[in-house]
Amino acid sequence: MKDYIAYTSAETSPEATPPPALPDLSHQEFLRDLMLGLAQQRKSISPKYFYDARGSQLFDRICCLPEYYPTRTELAILHTNARAIATHIGPHAEIVEFGAGSMEKVRILIDVLHSPQRYVPIDISAEHLLESANRMRMAYPALEVEPIVADYSQIAVLPPDVAPQGRRVGFFPGSTLGNFEPNEALQFLQMCATALAGGAMLLGVDLVKSPDRLHAAYNDSAGITADFNRNLLVRANRELGTNFQPDQFAHSAFYNAPYQRIEMHLVSTCQQTVNVGTAAFAFAEGETLHTENSYKFTADSLHQLAHRAGFTPGPVWTDDDNTFSLLWLDAPPRSTT
Ligand code: AVI
């Protein structure tokens, strides 16, 4: 029996199972996106390129920083409400985790579920996914663990349901939804509503709060977020042969209140030119490369978004300070045609 499924972004059917995406292919995509992003009047690049091995390690460190409240707050909400959430999920469930990473949070749920049937973690990082999936198999021998190596935002079709007596529940913690642009967030949730028809989704999102608290979370005193931001340039130099001078780019993160989002940028500290492939891109002093948006939500904005995506919002679990929330969203019924 094969112990994982690999999808490319072009093929999302479980019947078509090509080998894991070749590194060259992802380099080509990175090169194309970087060239397109640098050619824009306002230079930008997708935050998905933060997560090479070093970027993932730096992100793990960010999650433990005193200023970065989302991870520990979400973990606390999960611990406090695990049994109530388990009642909603019900027995014999199948949990599909989008962007599974270390699978730490899902364990809190699996530990209290009644006879969970299958766990389907989806992640683009094959090595990390398969290692974590093996740890899950050892920790939960009765649970079927079926990892899928793929860009979870492209998975329109999930493997056939194995648990007809239980529900299929999507789990998307960590407020990663906030790293999508609003139209992408809607499209992703619409895709989830279809893929999870008859089931539900548990979504973890960061909430709008005082700009000072937000600012501190993305400008930590140890400088880990700055390293995480600059690592994108280090990665480009290594993988694409670009000649960014990371120390000539300053980390900048601020709360853009009208858009309800943290913006992260790399600010060129001098006039300089960067070579990417055969092209050269000029940076004026003070010009920025926009590397990430992290949208924050309100109860209202979340309800509207969920409705527009086709979900029916249910209970919301939050902390006493309304810092972070976990939302239960019922997917539409399965179509009988
Ligand atoms: C992964 N994501 C939800 C994090 C966030 O808060 O937007 C990424 C991050 N960027 C800087 N710090 C953490």
Side-chain angles (χ1 to χ4, degrees), residues 69-71 73-74 77 105 173-175 203-207 209 317-319 321-326:
Y69 59 84
T71 311
T73 311
E74 187 177 43
I77 297 171
K105 290 171 187 165
S175 204
L203 177 66
V205 283
D206 196 9
L207 299 174
K209 60 184 59 62
W317 295 279
T318 185
D319 53 304
D321 299 330
N322 264 316
T323 307
F324 199 94
S325 66
L326 271 173

Side-chain angles (χ1 to χ4, degrees), residues 260-333:
Q260 299 187 325
R261 70 188 190 200
I262 285 282
E263 290 188 17
M264 287 215 316
H265 295 254
L266 287 163
V267 188
S268 176
T269 55
C270 58
Q271 192 181 327
Q272 54 184 316
T273 301
V274 176
N275 298 311
V276 184
T278 52
F281 297 93
F283 277 85
E285 184 179 345
E287 189 176 353
T288 82
L289 173 62
H290 189 168
T291 49
E292 185 180 63
N293 285 325
S294 187
Y295 285 86
K296 308 302 165 190
F297 299 87
T298 62
D300 265 10
S301 68
L302 284 165
H303 266 218
Q304 278 181 32
L305 181 62
H307 269 298
R308 287 179 64 202
F311 284 104
T312 305
V316 179
W317 295 279
T318 185
D319 53 304
D320 290 346
D321 299 330
N322 264 316
T323 307
F324 199 94
S325 66
L326 271 173
L327 276 86
W328 181 264
L329 304 174
D330 279 303

Side-chain angles (χ1 to χ4, degrees), residues 12-337:
T12 53
S13 154
E15 276 75 47
T17 54
L22 296 167
D24 289 350
L25 219 63
S26 59
H27 284 196
Q28 276 169 27
E29 203 177 307
F30 185 17
L31 181 63
R32 187 203 58 203
D33 287 354
L34 184 62
M35 289 183 85
L36 285 173
L38 291 176
Q40 291 173 92
Q41 212 187 354
R42 291 178 185 197
K43 295 177 170 64
S44 69
I45 180 77
S46 164
K48 72 180 179 190
Y49 294 112
F50 281 139
Y51 301 94
D52 64 349
R54 170 102 181 114
S56 301
Q57 276 169 9
L58 287 167
F59 180 63
D60 287 347
R61 289 175 69 188
I62 288 174
C63 292
C64 302
L65 290 168
E67 295 97 332
Y68 193 76
Y69 59 84
T71 311
R72 63 172 178 278
T73 311
E74 187 177 43
L75 283 168
I77 297 171
L78 274 169
H79 277 295
T80 308
N81 300 287
R83 287 191 189 282
I85 297 171
T87 306
H88 274 77
I89 295 175
H92 312 293
E94 173 175 336
I95 307 294
V96 178
E97 185 168 6
F98 300 98
S102 62
M103 307 178 191
E104 184 196 356
K105 290 171 187 165
V106 77
R107 284 170 171 248
I108 302 170
L109 295 177
I110 290 178
D111 282 343
V112 294
L113 286 179
H114 175 44
S115 309
Q117 195 90 15
R118 183 161 73 166
Y119 172 53
V120 181
I122 308 173
D123 208 291
I124 192 75
S125 163
E127 207 179 319
H128 195 204
L129 178 75
L130 301 181
E131 268 172 24
S132 305
N134 280 339
R135 277 200 298 274
M136 290 294 284
R137 287 191 182 105
M138 296 207 314
Y140 303 97
L143 185 70
E144 248 183 77
V145 179
E146 193 174 325
I148 300 180
V149 179
D151 175 353
Y152 62 82
S153 66
Q154 307 289 325
I155 293 266
V157 182
L158 292 169
D161 226 326
V162 279
Q165 73 275 50
R167 297 181 90 183
R168 173 178 267 176
V169 175
F171 184 43
F172 193 39
S175 204
T176 306
L177 190 75
N179 295 133
F180 292 164
E181 287 308 303
N183 63 323
E184 294 168 345
L186 177 61
Q187 276 170 19
F188 172 69
L189 289 180
Q190 281 170 334
M191 187 196 76
C192 292
T194 308
L196 300 168
M201 177 129 179
L202 184 64
L203 177 66
V205 283
D206 196 9
L207 299 174
V208 168
K209 60 184 59 62
S210 108
D212 288 350
R213 182 124 194 248
L214 288 167
H215 189 270
Y218 293 83
N219 289 279
D220 63 279
S221 53
I224 310 297
T225 310
D227 287 349
F228 173 71
N229 200 4
R230 267 192 224 98
N231 178 62
L232 201 150
L233 307 183
V234 177
R235 176 183 187 179
N237 286 349
R238 189 185 60 247
E239 294 185 9
L240 309 178
T242 55
N243 63 342
F244 282 105
Q245 304 290 321
D247 55 349
Q248 292 179 5
F249 285 86
H251 167 70
S252 164
F254 56 89
Y255 185 56
N256 183 335
Y259 286 91
Q260 299 187 325
R261 70 188 190 200
I262 285 282
E263 290 188 17
M264 287 215 316
H265 295 254
L266 287 163
V267 188
S268 176
T269 55
C270 58
Q271 192 181 327
Q272 54 184 316
T273 301
V274 176
N275 298 311
V276 184
T278 52
F281 297 93
F283 277 85
E285 184 179 345
E287 189 176 353
T288 82
L289 173 62
H290 189 168
T291 49
E292 185 180 63
N293 285 325
S294 187
Y295 285 86
K296 308 302 165 190
F297 299 87
T298 62
D300 265 10
S301 68
L302 284 165
H303 266 218
Q304 278 181 32
L305 181 62
H307 269 298
R308 287 179 64 202
F311 284 104
T312 305
V316 179
W317 295 279
T318 185
D319 53 304
D320 290 346
D321 299 330
N322 264 316
T323 307
F324 199 94
S325 66
L326 271 173
L327 276 86
W328 181 264
L329 304 174
D330 279 303
R334 230 188 275 249
S335 101
T336 45
T337 55

